[in-house]
Amino acid sequence: MSELQALLIDSISHCLKNSDNLEQFKTTSKPKLILTTDQLMLKLGVTRPTLSKWRKEGRIPFIQEGSVVRYDLEKVLEALENKKRRLR
């Protein structure tokens, strides 16, 4: 058994022994919908260059790990809605 596996088993065992504390980890919110660039393009009906421009302008939030870019749909929609409100 690797050191990581042993650490995980110890951590899980500790949590199970203290299961009365598990209530703090329960959530009632919907899971986040994290999208790829292609998925967000389809959802919003925009092109790849438009998304790239919006990222560079800071208009929409994104998550980047190396060359991989992802978008939290809820945060993107909120950012676009806020931008629309400010323009009115």
Side-chain angles (χ1 to χ4, degrees):
M1 181 179 327
S2 74
E3 190 175 326
L4 178 59
Q5 287 173 320
L7 180 60
L8 285 172
I9 290 170
D10 284 347
S11 296
I12 292 169
S13 296
H14 178 73
C15 286
L16 291 175
K17 288 176 188 172
N18 299 312
S19 61
D20 54 324
N21 294 332
L22 293 179
E23 287 299 315
Q24 65 184 335
F25 297 109
K26 290 185 179 179
T27 62
T28 56
S29 62
K30 295 183 283 183
K32 290 183 181 245
L33 188 54
I34 305 298
L35 303 179
T36 65
T37 298
D38 288 340
Q39 291 169 326
L40 188 61
M41 286 169 38
L42 288 171
K43 191 80 169 167
L44 298 179
V46 298
T47 63
R48 185 178 301 275
T50 297
L51 285 182
S52 179
K53 178 182 172 193
W54 288 354
R55 277 197 321 266
K56 289 175 186 167
E57 294 173 347
R59 185 183 283 189
I60 59 172
F62 61 97
I63 305 156
Q64 185 166 4
E65 183 67 39
S67 63
V68 177
V69 177
R70 296 290 184 262
Y71 305 87
D72 180 327
L73 180 60
E74 185 177 329
K75 289 182 180 180
V76 169
L77 294 176
E78 184 179 299
L80 292 174
E81 185 63 32
N82 288 340
K83 177 74 172 173
K84 190 163 65 170
R85 281 189 204 132
R86 281 184 262 149
L87 293 175
R88 290 182 188 169

Coordinates of all heavy atoms in Angstrom, one line a residue:
M1 N 0.8 -1.2 0.0 CA 0.0 0.0 0.0 C 0.9 1.2 0.0 O 1.8 1.3 0.8 CB -0.9 0.0 1.2 CG -1.8 1.2 1.3 SD -3.0 1.3 2.7 CE -3.3 -0.4 3.1
S2 N 0.5 2.2 -0.9 CA 1.4 3.4 -1.0 C 1.1 4.3 0.2 O 0.1 4.2 0.9 CB 1.1 4.1 -2.3 OG -0.2 4.8 -2.2
E3 N 2.0 5.3 0.4 CA 1.8 6.3 1.5 C 0.5 7.1 1.3 O -0.2 7.4 2.2 CB 3.0 7.2 1.5 CG 3.1 8.1 2.7 CD 4.4 8.9 2.7 OE1 5.4 8.4 2.2 OE2 4.3 10.0 3.2
L4 N 0.2 7.4 0.0 CA -1.0 8.2 -0.3 C -2.2 7.4 0.0 O -3.2 7.9 0.6 CB -1.0 8.6 -1.8 CG -2.2 9.3 -2.3 CD1 -2.4 10.6 -1.5 CD2 -2.1 9.6 -3.7
Q5 N -2.2 6.1 -0.3 CA -3.4 5.2 0.0 C -3.6 5.1 1.5 O -4.7 5.2 2.0 CB -3.2 3.8 -0.6 CG -3.4 3.8 -2.1 CD -3.0 2.4 -2.7 OE1 -2.0 1.8 -2.2 NE2 -3.8 2.0 -3.6
A6 N -2.5 5.0 2.2 CA -2.6 4.9 3.7 C -3.2 6.2 4.3 O -4.0 6.2 5.2 CB -1.2 4.6 4.3
L7 N -2.7 7.3 3.8 CA -3.2 8.6 4.2 C -4.7 8.8 4.0 O -5.4 9.3 4.8 CB -2.4 9.7 3.6 CG -2.7 11.1 4.0 CD1 -2.5 11.4 5.5 CD2 -1.9 12.1 3.2
L8 N -5.1 8.4 2.8 CA -6.5 8.5 2.4 C -7.4 7.6 3.3 O -8.4 8.0 3.8 CB -6.7 8.1 0.9 CG -6.3 9.1 -0.1 CD1 -6.4 8.5 -1.5 CD2 -7.1 10.4 0.0
I9 N -6.9 6.4 3.6 CA -7.7 5.5 4.4 C -7.8 6.0 5.8 O -8.8 6.0 6.4 CB -7.0 4.0 4.4 CG1 -7.2 3.4 3.0 CG2 -7.6 3.2 5.5 CD1 -6.5 2.1 2.8
D10 N -6.7 6.6 6.3 CA -6.7 7.2 7.7 C -7.7 8.3 7.7 O -8.5 8.5 8.7 CB -5.3 7.7 8.1 CG -4.4 6.5 8.5 OD1 -4.9 5.4 8.7 OD2 -3.2 6.8 8.6
S11 N -7.6 9.2 6.7 CA -8.5 10.3 6.7 C -10.0 9.9 6.6 O -10.8 10.5 7.3 CB -8.2 11.2 5.5 OG -6.9 11.8 5.6
I12 N -10.3 9.0 5.7 CA -11.7 8.5 5.6 C -12.1 7.8 6.9 O -13.3 8.1 7.4 CB -11.8 7.5 4.4 CG1 -11.6 8.3 3.1 CG2 -13.2 6.8 4.4 CD1 -11.4 7.5 1.9
S13 N -11.3 7.0 7.5 CA -11.6 6.4 8.8 C -11.9 7.4 9.9 O -12.9 7.3 10.6 CB -10.5 5.5 9.3 OG -10.3 4.4 8.4
H14 N -11.1 8.5 9.9 CA -11.3 9.5 10.9 C -12.7 10.2 10.7 O -13.4 10.5 11.6 CB -10.2 10.6 10.8 CG -10.3 11.7 11.7 ND1 -10.1 11.6 13.1 CD2 -10.7 13.0 11.5 CE1 -10.4 12.8 13.6 NE2 -10.7 13.6 12.7
C15 N -13.0 10.5 9.4 CA -14.3 11.1 9.1 C -15.4 10.3 9.5 O -16.4 10.7 10.0 CB -14.3 11.5 7.6 SG -13.3 12.9 7.1
L16 N -15.3 9.0 9.2 CA -16.4 8.0 9.5 C -16.6 7.9 11.0 O -17.7 7.8 11.5 CB -16.2 6.7 8.9 CG -16.3 6.6 7.4 CD1 -15.9 5.3 6.9 CD2 -17.7 7.0 6.9
K17 N -15.5 8.0 11.8 CA -15.6 7.9 13.2 C -16.3 9.1 13.8 O -17.0 9.1 14.8 CB -14.2 7.7 13.9 CG -13.7 6.4 13.7 CD -12.3 6.3 14.2 CE -11.6 5.0 13.8 NZ -10.2 4.9 14.2
N18 N -16.1 10.2 13.1 CA -16.7 11.5 13.5 C -17.8 11.9 12.6 O -18.0 13.0 12.2 CB -15.6 12.6 13.5 CG -14.5 12.3 14.4 OD1 -14.8 12.0 15.6 ND2 -13.3 12.4 14.0
S19 N -18.7 10.9 12.3 CA -19.7 11.1 11.3 C -20.8 12.2 11.7 O -21.5 12.7 10.9 CB -20.5 9.8 11.0 OG -21.1 9.3 12.1
D20 N -20.8 12.5 13.0 CA -21.8 13.6 13.4 C -21.3 14.9 12.8 O -22.1 15.8 12.7 CB -21.9 13.6 14.9 CG -20.5 13.8 15.6 OD1 -19.5 13.2 15.1 OD2 -20.5 14.5 16.6
N21 N -20.1 15.0 12.4 CA -19.6 16.3 11.9 C -19.8 16.4 10.4 O -19.5 17.4 9.7 CB -18.1 16.4 12.1 CG -17.8 16.6 13.6 OD1 -18.6 17.1 14.3 ND2 -16.6 16.2 14.0
L22 N -20.3 15.3 9.7 CA -20.5 15.3 8.3 C -21.6 16.2 7.8 O -21.7 16.5 6.6 CB -20.8 13.9 7.8 CG -19.6 12.9 8.0 CD1 -20.0 11.5 7.5 CD2 -18.4 13.4 7.2
E23 N -22.5 16.6 8.7 CA -23.6 17.6 8.3 C -23.0 18.8 7.6 O -23.7 19.4 6.7 CB -24.4 17.9 9.5 CG -25.3 16.8 10.0 CD -26.4 16.4 9.0 OE1 -27.0 17.3 8.3 OE2 -26.5 15.2 8.8
Q24 N -21.9 19.3 8.1 CA -21.3 20.5 7.5 C -20.9 20.4 6.0 O -20.8 21.4 5.3 CB -20.1 20.9 8.3 CG -18.9 19.9 8.2 CD -17.8 20.3 9.1 OE1 -17.6 21.5 9.4 NE2 -16.9 19.4 9.4
F25 N -20.8 19.1 5.5 CA -20.4 18.9 4.1 C -21.6 18.8 3.2 O -21.4 18.7 2.0 CB -19.5 17.7 4.0 CG -18.2 17.9 4.8 CD1 -17.9 17.2 6.0 CD2 -17.2 18.8 4.3 CE1 -16.8 17.4 6.7 CE2 -16.1 19.0 5.0 CZ -15.8 18.3 6.2
K26 N -22.8 18.6 3.8 CA -24.0 18.5 2.9 C -24.3 19.8 2.3 O -24.2 20.8 2.9 CB -25.1 18.0 3.7 CG -25.0 16.5 4.2 CD -26.2 16.0 4.9 CE -26.0 14.6 5.3 NZ -27.2 14.1 6.0
T27 N -24.7 19.8 1.0 CA -25.1 21.0 0.3 C -26.5 20.8 -0.3 O -26.9 19.7 -0.6 CB -24.1 21.4 -0.8 OG1 -24.1 20.3 -1.7 CG2 -22.7 21.6 -0.2
T28 N -27.2 21.9 -0.4 CA -28.5 21.8 -1.1 C -28.4 22.5 -2.4 O -29.4 22.5 -3.2 CB -29.6 22.5 -0.2 OG1 -29.1 23.8 0.0 CG2 -29.8 21.7 1.1
S29 N -27.3 23.0 -2.8 CA -27.1 23.7 -4.1 C -26.9 22.7 -5.2 O -26.5 21.6 -5.0 CB -26.0 24.7 -4.0 OG -24.8 24.0 -3.8
K30 N -27.2 23.2 -6.4 CA -27.0 22.4 -7.6 C -25.5 22.2 -7.9 O -24.8 23.2 -7.6 CB -27.7 23.0 -8.8 CG -29.2 23.1 -8.7 CD -29.8 23.7 -10.0 CE -29.5 25.2 -10.0 NZ -30.1 25.9 -11.1
P31 N -25.1 21.1 -8.4 CA -23.7 21.0 -8.8 C -23.4 22.0 -9.9 O -24.2 22.4 -10.7 CB -23.6 19.6 -9.3 CG -25.0 19.1 -9.6 CD -25.9 20.0 -8.8
K32 N -22.1 22.5 -9.9 CA -21.7 23.4 -10.9 C -21.6 22.8 -12.2 O -21.2 21.6 -12.3 CB -20.3 24.0 -10.5 CG -20.4 24.9 -9.3 CD -19.0 25.5 -9.0 CE -19.1 26.4 -7.8 NZ -18.9 27.7 -8.1
L33 N -22.0 23.5 -13.2 CA -21.9 23.0 -14.6 C -20.6 23.6 -15.2 O -20.6 24.8 -15.5 CB -23.1 23.3 -15.4 CG -23.3 22.7 -16.8 CD1 -23.1 21.2 -16.7 CD2 -24.6 23.1 -17.4
I34 N -19.6 22.9 -15.4 CA -18.3 23.3 -15.9 C -18.3 22.9 -17.4 O -18.4 21.7 -17.7 CB -17.1 22.8 -15.1 CG1 -17.2 23.1 -13.7 CG2 -15.8 23.3 -15.7 CD1 -17.2 24.6 -13.3
L35 N -18.1 23.9 -18.3 CA -18.2 23.6 -19.7 C -16.8 23.8 -20.4 O -16.0 24.7 -20.0 CB -19.2 24.6 -20.4 CG -20.6 24.5 -19.8 CD1 -21.5 25.5 -20.6 CD2 -21.2 23.1 -19.9
T36 N -16.6 23.1 -21.5 CA -15.5 23.4 -22.4 C -15.8 24.6 -23.3 O -17.0 25.0 -23.3 CB -15.3 22.1 -23.3 OG1 -16.4 22.0 -24.2 CG2 -15.0 20.9 -22.5
T37 N -14.8 25.0 -24.0 CA -15.1 26.1 -24.9 C -16.1 25.8 -26.0 O -17.0 26.6 -26.2 CB -13.7 26.5 -25.6 OG1 -12.8 27.0 -24.6 CG2 -13.9 27.7 -26.6
D38 N -16.0 24.6 -26.5 CA -17.0 24.2 -27.5 C -18.4 24.1 -26.9 O -19.4 24.6 -27.6 CB -16.7 22.8 -28.1 CG -15.4 22.9 -29.0 OD1 -15.1 24.0 -29.5 OD2 -14.8 21.8 -29.3
Q39 N -18.6 23.6 -25.7 CA -19.9 23.5 -25.1 C -20.5 24.9 -24.8 O -21.6 25.2 -25.1 CB -19.8 22.7 -23.8 CG -19.5 21.3 -24.0 CD -19.2 20.6 -22.7 OE1 -18.6 21.1 -21.8 NE2 -19.6 19.3 -22.6
L40 N -19.6 25.9 -24.4 CA -20.1 27.2 -24.1 C -20.4 27.9 -25.4 O -21.4 28.7 -25.4 CB -19.0 28.0 -23.3 CG -19.5 29.4 -22.8 CD1 -20.7 29.2 -21.8 CD2 -18.4 30.1 -22.1
M41 N -19.6 27.7 -26.5 CA -20.0 28.3 -27.7 C -21.4 27.9 -28.2 O -22.2 28.8 -28.6 CB -19.0 27.8 -28.8 CG -17.6 28.5 -28.7 SD -16.3 27.7 -29.8 CE -17.2 27.2 -31.3
L42 N -21.7 26.6 -28.1 CA -23.0 26.1 -28.5 C -24.1 26.7 -27.6 O -25.2 27.1 -28.0 CB -23.1 24.6 -28.4 CG -22.3 23.9 -29.5 CD1 -22.2 22.4 -29.2 CD2 -22.9 24.1 -30.8
K43 N -23.8 26.8 -26.3 CA -24.8 27.2 -25.3 C -25.1 28.7 -25.5 O -26.3 29.1 -25.5 CB -24.3 27.0 -23.9 CG -25.2 27.2 -22.8 CD -26.1 26.0 -22.7 CE -26.9 26.1 -21.4 NZ -28.0 25.1 -21.4
L44 N -24.1 29.5 -25.8 CA -24.3 31.0 -26.0 C -24.6 31.4 -27.5 O -25.0 32.5 -27.7 CB -23.1 31.7 -25.5 CG -22.8 31.6 -24.0 CD1 -21.6 32.4 -23.6 CD2 -24.0 32.0 -23.1
G45 N -24.3 30.5 -28.4 CA -24.4 30.8 -29.8 C -23.4 31.8 -30.3 O -23.8 32.7 -31.1
V46 N -22.2 31.7 -29.8 CA -21.1 32.6 -30.2 C -20.0 31.8 -30.8 O -19.9 30.6 -30.6 CB -20.6 33.5 -29.1 CG1 -21.8 34.4 -28.5 CG2 -20.1 32.7 -27.9
T47 N -19.0 32.5 -31.4 CA -17.9 31.8 -32.0 C -16.7 31.7 -31.0 O -16.7 32.4 -30.0 CB -17.4 32.6 -33.3 OG1 -16.9 33.9 -32.8 CG2 -18.5 32.7 -34.3
R48 N -15.7 30.9 -31.4 CA -14.5 30.8 -30.6 C -13.8 32.1 -30.4 O -13.4 32.5 -29.3 CB -13.6 29.7 -31.2 CG -12.4 29.4 -30.4 CD -11.6 28.3 -31.1 NE -12.4 27.0 -31.2 CZ -12.5 26.1 -30.3 NH1 -11.9 26.2 -29.1 NH2 -13.2 25.0 -30.5
P49 N -13.6 32.9 -31.5 CA -13.0 34.2 -31.4 C -13.7 35.1 -30.4 O -13.1 35.9 -29.7 CB -12.9 34.8 -32.8 CG -13.0 33.6 -33.7 CD -13.8 32.6 -33.0
T50 N -15.0 35.1 -30.4 CA -15.8 35.9 -29.5 C -15.5 35.5 -28.0 O -15.2 36.4 -27.2 CB -17.3 35.8 -29.7 OG1 -17.6 36.3 -31.1 CG2 -18.1 36.6 -28.7
L51 N -15.5 34.2 -27.7 CA -15.2 33.8 -26.4 C -13.7 34.2 -26.0 O -13.5 34.6 -24.9 CB -15.3 32.3 -26.2 CG -16.7 31.7 -26.1 CD1 -16.7 30.2 -25.9 CD2 -17.5 32.4 -25.0
S52 N -12.8 34.1 -26.9 CA -11.4 34.4 -26.7 C -11.3 35.9 -26.4 O -10.7 36.4 -25.4 CB -10.6 34.1 -27.9 OG -9.2 34.5 -27.7
K53 N -12.0 36.7 -27.1 CA -12.1 38.2 -26.9 C -12.6 38.5 -25.5 O -12.1 39.3 -24.8 CB -12.9 38.9 -28.0 CG -13.0 40.3 -27.9 CD -13.9 40.9 -29.0 CE -14.1 42.4 -28.7 NZ -15.2 42.9 -29.6
W54 N -13.8 37.9 -25.2 CA -14.4 38.1 -23.9 C -13.5 37.8 -22.8 O -13.5 38.4 -21.7 CB -15.7 37.4 -23.8 CG -16.8 37.9 -24.7 CD1 -16.8 39.1 -25.4 CD2 -18.1 37.4 -24.9 NE1 -18.0 39.2 -26.1 CE2 -18.8 38.2 -25.8 CE3 -18.7 36.2 -24.4 CZ2 -20.1 37.9 -26.2 CZ3 -20.0 35.9 -24.8 CH2 -20.7 36.8 -25.7
R55 N -12.7 36.7 -22.9 CA -11.8 36.3 -21.9 C -10.7 37.3 -21.7 O -10.4 37.8 -20.6 CB -11.1 34.9 -22.2 CG -11.9 33.7 -21.9 CD -11.0 32.4 -21.9 NE -10.0 32.4 -22.9 CZ -10.2 31.8 -24.1 NH1 -11.3 31.2 -24.4 NH2 -9.2 31.7 -25.0
K56 N -10.1 37.8 -22.8 CA -9.1 38.8 -22.8 C -9.5 40.1 -22.2 O -8.8 40.8 -21.5 CB -8.5 39.0 -24.2 CG -7.7 37.8 -24.7 CD -7.2 38.0 -26.1 CE -6.5 36.7 -26.6 NZ -6.4 36.7 -28.0
E57 N -10.8 40.5 -22.5 CA -11.4 41.7 -21.9 C -11.8 41.6 -20.5 O -12.1 42.6 -19.9 CB -12.6 42.1 -22.8 CG -12.3 42.5 -24.2 CD -13.6 42.7 -25.0 OE1 -14.7 42.4 -24.6 OE2 -13.4 43.3 -26.1
G58 N -11.8 40.3 -20.0 CA -12.3 40.1 -18.6 C -13.8 40.2 -18.5 O -14.3 40.3 -17.4
R59 N -14.4 40.0 -19.6 CA -15.9 40.1 -19.6 C -16.5 38.8 -19.0 O -17.6 38.9 -18.4 CB -16.4 40.3 -21.0 CG -17.9 40.4 -21.1 CD -18.4 40.5 -22.5 NE -18.1 41.8 -23.1 CZ -18.6 42.2 -24.2 NH1 -19.3 41.4 -25.0 NH2 -18.3 43.4 -24.7
I60 N -15.9 37.7 -19.2 CA -16.4 36.4 -18.6 C -15.3 35.7 -17.8 O -14.1 35.8 -18.1 CB -16.9 35.5 -19.7 CG1 -15.8 35.1 -20.7 CG2 -18.1 36.0 -20.4 CD1 -16.2 34.0 -21.7
P61 N -15.7 35.1 -16.7 CA -14.8 34.3 -15.9 C -14.4 33.0 -16.5 O -15.3 32.4 -17.2 CB -15.5 34.2 -14.6 CG -16.9 34.2 -14.9 CD -17.1 35.1 -16.1
F62 N -13.3 32.5 -16.3 CA -12.9 31.2 -16.8 C -11.8 30.6 -15.9 O -11.2 31.2 -15.0 CB -12.3 31.3 -18.2 CG -11.1 32.2 -18.4 CD1 -9.8 31.6 -18.4 CD2 -11.2 33.5 -18.5 CE1 -8.7 32.4 -18.5 CE2 -10.1 34.3 -18.6 CZ -8.8 33.8 -18.6
I63 N -11.6 29.3 -16.1 CA -10.7 28.5 -15.3 C -9.7 28.0 -16.3 O -10.0 27.4 -17.3 CB -11.4 27.3 -14.6 CG1 -12.5 27.8 -13.7 CG2 -10.4 26.5 -13.8 CD1 -13.6 26.8 -13.5
Q64 N -8.4 28.2 -16.0 CA -7.4 27.7 -16.9 C -6.3 26.9 -16.2 O -5.8 27.4 -15.2 CB -6.7 28.9 -17.7 CG -5.8 28.4 -18.7 CD -5.4 29.5 -19.7 OE1 -5.8 30.6 -19.6 NE2 -4.6 29.1 -20.7
E65 N -6.0 25.8 -16.6 CA -5.0 24.9 -16.1 C -4.1 24.5 -17.3 O -4.5 23.7 -18.1 CB -5.5 23.7 -15.4 CG -4.5 22.8 -14.8 CD -3.9 23.4 -13.6 OE1 -4.5 24.1 -12.8 OE2 -2.6 23.2 -13.4
G66 N -2.9 25.2 -17.4 CA -2.1 25.0 -18.6 C -2.8 25.5 -19.8 O -3.2 26.7 -19.8
S67 N -3.0 24.7 -20.8 CA -3.7 25.2 -22.0 C -5.2 24.9 -22.0 O -5.9 25.2 -22.9 CB -3.0 24.6 -23.3 OG -3.2 23.2 -23.2
V68 N -5.6 24.2 -21.0 CA -7.0 23.8 -20.9 C -7.9 24.9 -20.2 O -7.6 25.4 -19.1 CB -7.2 22.5 -20.0 CG1 -8.6 22.1 -19.9 CG2 -6.4 21.4 -20.7
V69 N -8.9 25.3 -20.9 CA -9.8 26.4 -20.4 C -11.2 25.8 -20.2 O -11.7 25.1 -21.0 CB -9.9 27.6 -21.5 CG1 -10.9 28.6 -21.0 CG2 -8.5 28.2 -21.7
R70 N -11.8 26.1 -19.1 CA -13.1 25.7 -18.7 C -13.9 26.9 -18.2 O -13.3 27.9 -17.7 CB -13.1 24.6 -17.6 CG -12.4 23.3 -18.1 CD -13.3 22.6 -19.1 NE -12.7 21.3 -19.5 CZ -11.9 21.1 -20.5 NH1 -11.6 22.1 -21.4 NH2 -11.5 19.9 -20.8
Y71 N -15.2 26.8 -18.2 CA -16.1 27.9 -17.8 C -17.2 27.3 -16.9 O -17.8 26.3 -17.1 CB -16.8 28.5 -19.0 CG -15.9 28.9 -20.1 CD1 -15.4 28.0 -21.1 CD2 -15.4 30.2 -20.2 CE1 -14.6 28.5 -22.1 CE2 -14.6 30.7 -21.2 CZ -14.2 29.8 -22.1 OH -13.3 30.2 -23.1
D72 N -17.4 28.1 -15.8 CA -18.5 27.8 -14.9 C -19.7 28.5 -15.5 O -19.8 29.8 -15.5 CB -18.2 28.4 -13.5 CG -19.3 28.1 -12.5 OD1 -20.5 28.1 -12.9 OD2 -19.0 28.0 -11.3
L73 N -20.7 27.8 -16.0 CA -21.8 28.3 -16.7 C -22.6 29.4 -15.9 O -22.9 30.5 -16.4 CB -22.8 27.2 -17.2 CG -24.0 27.7 -18.0 CD1 -23.5 28.5 -19.3 CD2 -24.9 26.6 -18.3
E74 N -22.8 29.1 -14.7 CA -23.6 30.0 -13.8 C -22.8 31.4 -13.7 O -23.4 32.4 -13.8 CB -23.8 29.4 -12.4 CG -24.6 30.2 -11.5 CD -24.9 29.5 -10.2 OE1 -24.9 28.3 -10.1 OE2 -25.0 30.3 -9.2
K75 N -21.5 31.3 -13.5 CA -20.8 32.5 -13.3 C -20.7 33.3 -14.7 O -20.7 34.5 -14.7 CB -19.4 32.2 -12.8 CG -19.4 31.8 -11.4 CD -18.0 31.6 -10.9 CE -18.0 31.1 -9.4 NZ -16.6 30.9 -8.9
V76 N -20.5 32.6 -15.8 CA -20.5 33.3 -17.1 C -21.8 34.0 -17.3 O -21.8 35.1 -17.7 CB -20.2 32.2 -18.2 CG1 -20.4 32.9 -19.6 CG2 -18.8 31.7 -18.1
L77 N -22.9 33.3 -17.1 CA -24.2 33.9 -17.4 C -24.4 35.1 -16.5 O -25.0 36.1 -16.9 CB -25.4 32.9 -17.2 CG -25.4 31.7 -18.2 CD1 -26.5 30.7 -17.8 CD2 -25.5 32.2 -19.6
E78 N -24.0 35.0 -15.2 CA -24.1 36.1 -14.3 C -23.3 37.3 -14.8 O -23.8 38.4 -14.7 CB -23.7 35.6 -12.9 CG -23.8 36.7 -11.8 CD -23.4 36.1 -10.5 OE1 -23.9 35.1 -10.0 OE2 -22.4 36.7 -9.9
A79 N -22.1 37.0 -15.2 CA -21.2 38.1 -15.7 C -21.8 38.8 -16.9 O -21.8 40.0 -17.0 CB -19.8 37.6 -16.0
L80 N -22.3 38.0 -17.8 CA -22.9 38.6 -19.0 C -24.2 39.4 -18.7 O -24.4 40.5 -19.3 CB -23.2 37.5 -20.1 CG -22.0 36.9 -20.7 CD1 -22.5 35.7 -21.6 CD2 -21.2 37.8 -21.5
E81 N -25.0 38.9 -17.7 CA -26.2 39.6 -17.3 C -25.8 40.9 -16.6 O -26.4 42.0 -16.9 CB -27.0 38.8 -16.4 CG -28.3 39.4 -16.0 CD -29.3 39.6 -17.1 OE1 -29.3 38.8 -18.1 OE2 -30.0 40.6 -17.1
N82 N -24.8 40.9 -15.8 CA -24.3 42.1 -15.1 C -23.8 43.2 -16.1 O -24.1 44.4 -16.0 CB -23.2 41.8 -14.1 CG -23.8 41.1 -12.9 OD1 -24.9 41.2 -12.6 ND2 -22.9 40.5 -12.2
K83 N -23.1 42.7 -17.1 CA -22.6 43.6 -18.2 C -23.8 44.2 -18.9 O -23.8 45.4 -19.2 CB -21.7 42.8 -19.1 CG -21.2 43.6 -20.3 CD -20.1 44.5 -19.9 CE -19.5 45.1 -21.1 NZ -18.5 46.2 -20.8
K84 N -24.8 43.4 -19.2 CA -26.0 43.9 -19.9 C -26.7 45.0 -19.1 O -27.2 46.0 -19.6 CB -26.9 42.7 -20.2 CG -28.1 43.1 -21.2 CD -28.7 41.9 -21.8 CE -29.5 41.0 -20.9 NZ -30.3 40.0 -21.6
R85 N -26.8 44.7 -17.8 CA -27.5 45.7 -16.9 C -26.8 47.0 -16.9 O -27.4 48.1 -16.8 CB -27.6 45.2 -15.5 CG -28.7 44.2 -15.3 CD -28.8 43.8 -13.8 NE -29.5 42.5 -13.7 CZ -29.0 41.6 -12.9 NH1 -28.0 41.7 -12.1 NH2 -29.7 40.4 -12.9
R86 N -25.4 47.0 -16.9 CA -24.6 48.2 -16.8 C -24.8 49.0 -18.1 O -24.6 50.2 -18.1 CB -23.2 47.9 -16.5 CG -22.9 47.6 -15.1 CD -21.4 47.4 -14.8 NE -21.3 45.9 -14.8 CZ -20.2 45.3 -15.2 NH1 -19.2 45.9 -15.6 NH2 -20.1 44.0 -15.2
L87 N -25.1 48.4 -19.2 CA -25.2 49.1 -20.5 C -26.6 49.8 -20.6 O -26.7 50.6 -21.5 CB -25.0 48.1 -21.6 CG -23.5 47.6 -21.7 CD1 -23.5 46.5 -22.9 CD2 -22.6 48.7 -22.0
R88 N -27.5 49.4 -19.8 CA -28.9 50.0 -19.9 C -28.9 51.4 -19.4 O -28.2 51.9 -18.7 CB -29.9 49.2 -19.1 CG -30.1 47.8 -19.8 CD -31.2 47.1 -19.0 NE -31.3 45.8 -19.5 CZ -31.9 44.8 -18.9 NH1 -32.5 45.0 -17.8 NH2 -32.0 43.6 -19.4

